[in-house]
Amino acid sequence: MKQDRFLTGILIGIAVIVIIALSVFLMRKDNLTYVNDDTPEGVIQNYVVALHKRNFEKAYTYLADLPVELIDLGILPDDLDRLRDAFAHVDADLLVTTGGASVGDHDLVRPALEAAGGVIDFWRIALRPGKPMMAGRRGAMQVLGLPGNPVSAFVTALLFVKPLIAHLSGAANPLPRSTMAILGEDLPANGPRTDYLRAELRDGRAYASTIQDSSMLLTLARSHCLIVRPVDAPVARAGDSAEILVIA
């Protein structure tokens, strides 16, 4: 990272795996001046953020209220050497990738980052959707590797990317703010991962979508909130209170 960069400046690179292609987005600091509602009084930040609109269509909304500008820098092939070189030359405070961080033959983000001199802090978390989440570093640059499935990418962007940008921009309370809602129907017991269920709010009650597959964008588009189901949560009944994150 350049030594003459403003202390509070954020430079973010975003890379997105689409089938066998990597779309790269580089966030360059510019002369944009923006004061976010969560930014401490008197603190002004300069940021430019890049975001892949296809896989981050809905996440765009949640980053747009931060001091960011979204820039698409095109596509790179899903090739280890090309990815390594791309990661090695990103001059950023934060690099975000989507896809390529699981265990398939084309999941090359981890080896490419390590080949570029990066280190992995953690990989795979107890979260649904979003298990193949990765975090690491290359020098002073932070790296977040999000899953490739669009719903998983959205949820992890909401839970990790937005809070990190908010934290770096000086927000006093960067974490998502939850609220409580009454369940409109029963929910089964949960397993060993925290579950974020897409749900609709109707007549003041939360109804989880029937289909929760992480590739189904339609249920996400129809959702007003995410119902948070803790690890090993017991059966919940209609009329019970549940924690939710409002997303629409």
Side-chain angles (χ1 to χ4, degrees), residues 30 32 57 69 99 115 145 152 179 189-190 200 226 232 240 243:
D30 202 350
L32 174 67
E57 191 81 20
E69 179 182 334
S152 299
T179 187
N190 194 28
E200 296 181 44
L226 301 173
D232 296 329
D240 287 350
E243 181 183 8

Side-chain angles (χ1 to χ4, degrees), residues 62 158-159 162-163 173-181 194-196 201 224-230 241-247:
Y62 292 93
L158 179 66
L159 297 178
K162 182 179 179 180
N173 298 295
L175 297 179
R177 297 172 184 174
S178 64
T179 187
M180 304 302 290
T194 301
D195 204 351
Y196 286 79
L201 294 172
H224 304 113
C225 66
L226 301 173
I227 299 174
V228 183
R229 296 285 285 150
S241 182
E243 181 183 8
I244 66 169
L245 292 176
V246 176
I247 61 174

